[in-house]
Amino acid sequence: MRIMMLLLAALSLSGCGLVALPFRVTGDVLSVVPVVGKPLGAPIHAVGDVID
């Protein structure tokens, strides 16, 4: 069961999704910062959208 779950996770993160993941995570983390989070996080998160 564990191997099957790892295989499904690997397949879902293959390709462009794996490349876009760091941009999405960084954009989400920055958007939590008060005052400057939204303006700085939105463009970084948008890069992840463009990659997909």
Side-chain angles (χ1 to χ4, degrees), residues 10-26:
L11 288 175
S12 68
L13 291 177
S14 66
C16 296
L18 186 61
V19 175
L21 184 64
F23 292 103
R24 292 185 185 274
V25 170
T26 304

Side-chain angles (χ1 to χ4, degrees), residues 16-17 19-21 23-24 42-52:
C16 296
V19 175
L21 184 64
F23 292 103
R24 292 185 185 274
I44 295 173
H45 201 279
V47 171
D49 292 338
V50 170
I51 291 173
D52 279 341

Side-chain angles (χ1 to χ4, degrees), residues 3 7 11 15-17 20 22 25-26 28-29 31 33 36 40-41 43-44 46 49 51:
I3 293 173
L7 182 62
L11 288 175
C16 296
V25 170
T26 304
D28 289 339
V29 168
S31 67
V33 176
V36 296
L40 292 178
I44 295 173
D49 292 338
I51 291 173

